[in-house]
Amino acid sequence: MTLIDGKKVAADIRAELAVRTKSLEEKYRKKVGLAVVLIGDNPASQVYVRNKIKACEEVGIRSFSHYLPAETTQKQAEELILSLVADKNVHGILIQLPLPKHLDEKRLLALIPKAKDVDGFSAENIGSLAMNEEGTVACTPLGVMELLKRYHIDTKGKRAVVVGRSNIVGRPMALLLINADATVTVCHSKTENLKEECLRADILVAAIGKAKYITADMVKDGAAVIDVGMNRDEDGKLCGDVDFESVKGKAAYLTPVPGGVGPMTIAMLLCNVCDAFERAER
Ligand code: NAP
């Protein structure tokens, strides 16, 4: 079994991006910029935002952080987003979710134009993905595709099964795999015979949110198994949706948790920001 080392791939991508941002800066005499908006004091969000800002610094992306108090009104939040939309130094806008309950998340996200939506969550970007046209793709599924690519795991004509259909992981993941010529099945909580569906997969992507749910008896011999899940097991230890210990005897490729898909998400966000810069400046 080949262990897919997402930590290493993400580090390689960051090193490549450091070179790319430098040459973009030389070519356009301008820095690539990402605005990060955090509203409220959710401790997990604070950690995520810190990590994103640190990663930006590491690769030479200028970050603009905006921390607003939990009492921020819809109008104040909207004014901030609109000012970032107009700011030519800002190439990507990221609103850290979840937002305080009194704010209209959908309305705020809708203010971000396609060109600056580096999360790839907007209806326009999802539409482009569905039509296999140029646009920004959600970072986590994009990270999965990058892992497949860098480990030379062929998707063309292969049977891929995605377990999970959320807007941020499962759905875009399935579309990416379709666009990469895989034959794709999407499973979810209402799927009958999940085990049979999974057993058909050459590439199995688990994005369920249930600790160690995919067991060896659900995996075809020699499959590539990608675990997007991030859960806590009964001992409080971080674990994926795949039962790593049993599945490692069946799979040809397997991502660990932590150190698999997780580190790829921020790396792909940084790629998306650089892509947004190039599209805006070219
Ligand atoms: P989500 O919105 O809760 O979606 C979970 C999906 O799994 C839903 O489509 C649900 O089906 C399906 N599901 C739930 N129970 C199932 C079952 N018993 N059998 C088959 N399908 C089932 O979660 P998410 O945001 O997509 O995240 C999924 C996992 O990925 C979580 O562990 C999350 O923490 C992790 N994640 C990791 C990263 C990263 O950077 N590595 C990023 C995002 C998410 P229904 O649609 O029918 O409810």
Side-chain angles (χ1 to χ4, degrees), residues 92-253:
I93 303 170
L94 194 148
I95 304 177
Q96 186 64 45
L97 302 178
L99 290 172
K101 290 219 163 18
H102 67 279
L103 293 175
D104 186 338
E105 184 176 301
K106 261 194 168 168
R107 239 178 88 174
L108 278 178
L109 289 173
L111 293 177
I112 304 175
K114 182 185 181 195
K116 293 194 180 189
D117 166 37
V118 282
D119 261 334
F121 291 166
S122 70
E124 236 186 306
N125 270 320
I126 292 170
S128 296
L129 175 64
M131 292 189 289
N132 200 11
E133 287 172 0
E134 194 184 25
T136 303
V137 179
C139 305
T140 301
L142 195 59
V144 172
M145 294 309 288
E146 195 62 31
L147 288 176
L148 295 176
K149 197 161 103 194
R150 293 201 183 214
Y151 277 82
H152 308 290
I153 298 168
D154 196 14
T155 50
K156 196 171 181 176
K158 301 292 177 214
R159 203 172 271 277
V161 174
V162 179
V163 190
R165 57 174 167 179
S166 72
N167 287 340
I168 60 166
V169 190
R171 237 168 254 262
M173 186 74 249
L175 290 168
L176 280 167
L177 286 163
I178 292 172
N179 294 347
D181 294 331
T183 302
V184 182
T185 302
V186 181
C187 300
H188 44 78
S189 68
K190 309 292 184 295
T191 297
E192 290 177 3
N193 301 321
L194 181 67
K195 180 177 162 183
E196 275 170 39
E197 299 292 347
C198 290
L199 272 171
R200 279 196 277 268
D202 301 308
I203 299 166
L204 178 61
V205 181
I208 313 165
K210 284 195 158 48
K212 303 179 188 177
Y213 198 74
I214 302 289
T215 46
D217 60 325
M218 301 165 84
V219 174
K220 178 174 159 178
D221 265 320
V225 181
I226 310 291
D227 190 352
V228 181
M230 278 216 278
N231 317 293
R232 297 275 165 194
D233 68 10
E234 55 283 2
D235 303 321
K237 251 181 76 186
L238 196 63
C239 72
D241 290 343
V242 176
D243 180 25
F244 186 89
E245 284 310 314
S246 71
V247 170
K248 74 179 182 194
K250 281 287 237 5
Y253 294 88

Side-chain angles (χ1 to χ4, degrees), residues 4-140:
I4 297 183
D5 188 348
K7 213 170 152 188
K8 182 186 176 300
V9 174
D12 290 347
I13 292 173
R14 287 197 302 274
E16 291 159 18
L17 283 171
V19 176
R20 187 173 167 202
T21 55
K22 224 172 167 184
S23 78
L24 286 174
E25 200 177 328
E26 277 166 17
K27 185 170 172 192
Y28 295 100
R29 309 234 154 262
K30 201 171 178 184
K31 255 186 157 347
V32 181
L34 171 70
V36 183
V37 178
L38 174 61
I39 307 179
D41 39 27
N42 181 320
S45 295
Q46 286 170 345
V47 174
Y48 294 141
V49 164
R50 255 203 313 275
N51 289 342
K52 285 169 189 171
I53 290 170
K54 200 169 139 241
C56 280
E57 279 163 15
E58 201 186 314
V59 303
I61 293 176
R62 186 173 168 196
S63 61
F64 304 88
S65 27
H66 295 270
Y67 300 110
L68 300 184
E71 317 75 70
T72 301
T73 63
Q74 181 75 21
K75 187 163 177 276
Q76 287 167 329
E78 286 183 11
E79 276 167 8
L80 171 65
I81 304 303
L82 289 174
S83 73
L84 298 173
V85 170
D87 189 339
K88 291 215 171 352
N89 291 315
V90 170
H91 303 94
I93 303 170
L94 194 148
I95 304 177
Q96 186 64 45
L97 302 178
L99 290 172
K101 290 219 163 18
H102 67 279
L103 293 175
D104 186 338
E105 184 176 301
K106 261 194 168 168
R107 239 178 88 174
L108 278 178
L109 289 173
L111 293 177
I112 304 175
K114 182 185 181 195
K116 293 194 180 189
D117 166 37
V118 282
D119 261 334
F121 291 166
S122 70
E124 236 186 306
N125 270 320
I126 292 170
S128 296
L129 175 64
M131 292 189 289
N132 200 11
E133 287 172 0
E134 194 184 25
T136 303
V137 179
C139 305
T140 301

